[in-house]
Amino acid sequence: SHTSCAIVCGTMPNPVFKGLDDKGNAIGNQTAFWKAVKAGAQSSDGKPLWYKKGIEYWDTVDATDDGVLGGYGHVSDVDAVDNTAFLEAVFGDALEAKKTGSRRLVACDCGAGIGRVTSSFLIHQFDEVDIVEPVKHFIGKAEELLGPSAPPRADGHKVTNFFAQPLEGFTPEAGRYDVIWVQWCVGHLTDDDFVSFFQRCAKGLKPGGLICVKENNAKDGFVLDTDDSSLTRSHKYLMHLFEDGLGYTVVKNKLQKNFPAELFQVRMYAVQPK
């Protein structure tokens, strides 16, 4: 029968995630939503207008912690504390090897904005960090703060490359990174581009490398932000993309603690390609 074939052939229908816009209106399921985005207006580069609208929004935002965090710049310290603890939990052996001088570690900060996550956290843990950010005045600020003209660090750690590219267009150098850190930006990717981005990331990892994703969780389904052209997916939706869409292993996931109660829940994921 059709049903048993679906189970045997592994073609069970996708789980259905229902969406709301930021005013609480129902906007259908994820398949219909992304289909509409794809079928809608396109930019001159042939990409859905969805991406251009996201960049246009961030083009108007101040290149400060408060700007990139929507007025919540004060959470940056707490964010860095939990990021550090999470990295130590999932990558502790490599961090120890670095401390003893037997290993050099390289990270990539994707959707880095002004380099907030790099300067508050990654640069302390890794010998080298590369930054990927499409918004021109954000990456300009990151380069000013962390580039060659910034004072050298006592530990010798540095930001090596500044890639002014969107995630859907970024291809990491093969085998360069121990950790690719992706924080508060995959909501801008369509499901198809989410999958292809993480497939490219897998090729950018050294053996045993990890992809760490930190992202807002909608309570259920997904929530559309009509201002910045992004989607907040639920934990189940993200797990579906990691495990079913990509076939990756989620080594660990953990909720961020001590963020303001009015914000979405925020969760960290350590993901390993199989």
Side-chain angles (χ1 to χ4, degrees), residues 31-262:
T31 310
F33 176 78
W34 290 124
K35 200 173 173 182
V37 166
K38 207 170 179 180
Q42 293 186 340
S43 312
S44 56
D45 58 8
K47 291 197 296 193
L49 208 55
W50 168 265
Y51 286 117
K52 187 166 183 267
K53 282 174 67 182
I55 296 291
E56 282 173 350
Y57 170 83
W58 290 107
D59 277 344
T60 66
V61 170
D62 286 346
T64 60
D65 281 359
D66 242 10
V68 296
L69 292 176
Y72 284 89
H74 58 281
V75 307
S76 205
D77 290 347
V78 181
D79 176 53
V81 166
D82 276 25
N83 284 353
T84 304
F86 186 74
L87 184 70
E88 284 170 352
V90 295
F91 212 60
D93 290 352
L95 295 175
E96 279 305 312
K98 176 187 154 24
K99 279 178 192 159
T100 61
S102 62
R103 189 163 169 183
R104 276 181 64 77
L105 296 178
V106 183
C108 188
D109 182 359
C110 288
I114 61 171
R116 184 192 65 80
V117 169
T118 290
S119 56
S120 67
F121 155 57
L122 290 172
I123 197 80
H124 305 284
Q125 306 289 339
F126 293 86
D127 296 280
E128 289 182 58
V129 183
D130 290 346
I131 278 179
V132 184
E133 172 55 50
V135 177
K136 288 188 177 68
H137 73 293
F138 285 175
I139 197 163
K141 186 69 171 176
E143 200 154 357
E144 181 190 313
L145 296 171
L146 295 159
S149 58
R153 293 173 53 89
D155 58 15
H157 297 181
K158 61 177 181 172
V159 177
T160 305
N161 295 300
F162 294 83
F163 298 114
Q165 287 178 278
L167 300 194
E168 70 276 9
F170 176 62
T171 300
E173 181 188 319
R176 172 160 169 76
Y177 301 110
D178 295 281
V179 170
I180 296 177
W181 191 276
V182 190
Q183 181 161 339
W184 280 326
C185 55
V186 297
H188 287 290
L189 294 175
T190 66
D191 281 2
D192 286 349
D193 284 341
F194 182 108
V195 169
S196 56
F197 168 67
F198 283 105
Q199 285 169 337
R200 294 193 305 277
C201 283
K203 292 174 184 161
L205 291 176
K206 292 179 190 170
L210 277 178
I211 302 165
C212 293
V213 180
K214 188 168 190 176
E215 198 49 71
N216 292 346
N217 282 172
K219 201 173 278 186
D220 205 27
F222 63 91
V223 178
L224 169 67
D225 186 323
T226 52
D227 286 333
D228 73 359
S229 196
S230 73
L231 215 64
T232 299
R233 298 170 173 97
S234 64
H235 172 57
K236 277 186 181 168
Y237 190 166
L238 285 166
M239 290 295 284
H240 161 65
L241 290 175
F242 290 136
E243 295 182 336
D244 305 328
L246 285 154
Y248 290 1
T249 304
V250 179
V251 180
K252 185 180 177 69
N253 73 85
K254 194 173 194 307
L255 281 171
Q256 167 72 40
K257 299 193 298 279
N258 304 318
F259 267 13
E262 68 272 16

